[in-house]
Amino acid sequence: MLVLVVYCHPVPESFCASIRDCAIEVLKARGWEVRLLDLYAENFNPVMSCEERRSYNEHAPQDPELKPHIVHLDWAQAILFIYPTWWYGLPAMLKGWLDRVWATDVAFKLPAGKGRIQSLMRHVTKIGVITTCGAPTWWSVVVGQPGRKTNLRGMRALCSTRCRTFFLAHYLMDSSTPKTRAAFLAKVRAKLERF
């Protein structure tokens, strides 16, 4: 299995970095080939330019900095997102990556007229999300969990029709303890052993 780990956190010593390291360790131990995209480490530019937006519906992005990201998407059979949930959703850097990379003639083809969008991501059979969230579980549910829905509904719709998904969140991150973080890493290990 070829898995693309898309990691997004600005602080190198964050708990998300521990999650990333744990996830990569488990996946490699299972014999999976892993590629890591660390959006902050590579200083990914999440801002779509005026020209990029104007031509968005016409062809794949032309920015040469996006080419390696597109190659990684074409390669992946599974995608694992690791990020902090901020304001109930994706960090701006990750949202910008989706806007700029999961684009026309990369993730989908737009129809002529009123037809249906055609997926170009049918080779992706698994999507996983591991996140941290300052809010409690119940409040995240009340708000509607927009980050979860973006990844596991919106993006999944472009993947294999049998694409399997999972979502794992460490809620109440702002009041977490070494014990709760260790317990969450154990959940991460267990989930990825079955992913």
Side-chain angles (χ1 to χ4, degrees):
M1 185 65 80
L2 309 175
V3 59
L4 179 62
V5 176
V6 181
Y7 174 71
C8 185
H9 200 294
V11 181
E13 70 277 11
S14 70
F15 181 58
C16 276
S18 297
I19 295 169
R20 174 202 62 210
D21 295 345
C22 175
I24 290 172
E25 176 189 321
V26 172
L27 294 170
K28 284 185 174 180
R30 292 187 62 195
W32 288 24
E33 188 175 339
V34 178
R35 289 186 184 176
L36 172 65
L37 274 180
D38 185 334
L39 299 180
Y40 275 95
E42 72 171 66
N43 199 27
F44 179 78
N45 179 7
V47 180
M48 184 180 289
S49 70
C50 175
E51 275 313 305
E52 194 174 347
R53 181 58 209 148
R54 283 183 175 146
S55 64
Y56 186 86
N57 292 352
E58 298 166 10
H59 54 73
Q62 303 298 299
D63 185 338
E65 291 185 9
L66 298 180
K67 183 65 177 168
H69 296 262
I70 293 168
V71 169
H72 290 318
L73 272 188
D74 289 341
W75 169 85
Q77 296 172 313
I79 302 174
L80 178 62
F81 294 95
I82 301 172
Y83 62 87
T85 295
W86 291 336
W87 283 103
Y88 315 106
L90 308 174
M93 176 81 75
L94 182 54
K95 178 61 170 67
W97 183 79
L98 295 176
D99 290 343
R100 298 191 69 211
V101 178
W102 283 64
T104 305
D105 295 337
V106 175
F108 57 87
K109 278 196 170 296
L110 289 174
K114 294 185 178 182
R116 299 185 80 180
I117 288 175
Q118 177 189 347
S119 169
L120 298 177
M121 299 294 293
R122 296 289 182 209
H123 56 282
V124 175
T125 61
K126 297 173 189 278
I127 295 179
V129 172
I130 306 175
T131 188
T132 57
C133 186
T137 308
W138 70 269
W139 182 248
S140 296
V141 170
V142 166
V143 170
Q145 297 180 307
R148 180 179 189 153
K149 289 177 181 174
T150 296
N151 288 319
L152 302 189
R153 289 188 187 176
M155 294 173 61
R156 185 198 177 281
L158 293 174
C159 298
S160 168
T161 53
R162 295 181 185 215
C163 183
R164 295 177 61 203
T165 65
F166 80 83
F167 181 88
L168 194 58
H170 184 307
Y171 293 101
L172 295 172
M173 185 64 206
D174 299 338
S175 59
S176 69
T177 65
K179 184 177 179 180
T180 64
R181 292 190 296 272
F184 186 73
L185 287 178
K187 284 183 185 178
V188 167
R189 287 183 179 280
K191 180 63 82 173
L192 291 176
E193 288 290 350
R194 300 187 307 271
F195 182 45

